[in-house]
Amino acid sequence: MIVDKKEKYCLISSDEHSLKAFQDAFFGKVADFKTVHVVLQISEEINIKNEEFSLFLSVAVQKKQEGTSFVIVNTIVNIDMFPETINIVPTLQEAEDILEMEAIERSLGF
């Protein structure tokens, strides 16, 4: 797992070759990211199924309750199969756009 602290968020990228190894690394350190916005970039080299993305749903809900954002970047997954509570986008630029939109929503009290 590669952690890159940006100005407005923390970018976490996968350097593992399996989803299980990446999830173990991420969930082992998820508490370290409690107060920051998180963009999780999952490599397309990791063989992942739509159902496996739902494992990150609890993190998305928790981050929203804490007043921070959580976005997953991946081009393989079908985003229409997930609830709106989890943000999945195909590019890092779109993830940054989501972070900005959610910051605006929080400032407006939504």
Side-chain angles (χ1 to χ4, degrees):
M1 183 171 81
I2 302 166
V3 178
D4 185 12
K5 294 186 181 187
K6 304 286 187 181
E7 182 180 337
K8 296 183 179 184
Y9 63 93
C10 188
L11 175 63
I12 301 172
S13 304
S14 57
D15 62 347
E16 294 81 7
H17 297 291
S18 77
L19 180 63
K20 176 75 171 127
F22 179 58
Q23 285 176 327
D24 289 347
F26 176 71
F27 285 114
K29 295 192 178 247
V30 74
D32 296 347
F33 310 112
K34 186 173 184 168
T35 61
V36 297
H37 306 294
V38 173
V39 175
L40 192 66
Q41 191 165 28
I42 301 176
S43 170
E44 282 76 26
E45 294 178 15
I46 293 178
N47 187 14
I48 187 167
K49 298 175 184 149
N50 283 346
E51 310 85 59
E52 294 170 317
F53 274 95
S54 62
L55 297 172
F56 295 105
L57 184 58
S58 63
V59 175
V61 170
Q62 179 182 359
K63 297 294 287 172
K64 186 170 182 98
Q65 291 172 345
E66 294 167 350
T68 57
S69 298
F70 180 73
V71 184
I72 297 175
V73 178
N74 187 273
T75 58
I76 296 173
V77 69
N78 180 358
I79 60 172
D80 295 329
M81 296 188 66
F82 296 94
E84 289 183 19
T85 53
I86 188 165
N87 294 310
I88 303 173
V89 295
T91 67
L92 187 55
Q93 180 59 54
E94 288 176 276
E96 291 173 349
D97 292 344
I98 294 282
L99 294 176
E100 286 182 38
M101 287 189 304
E102 287 188 351
I104 292 168
E105 288 175 356
R106 282 189 292 274
S107 70
L108 294 174
F110 292 107

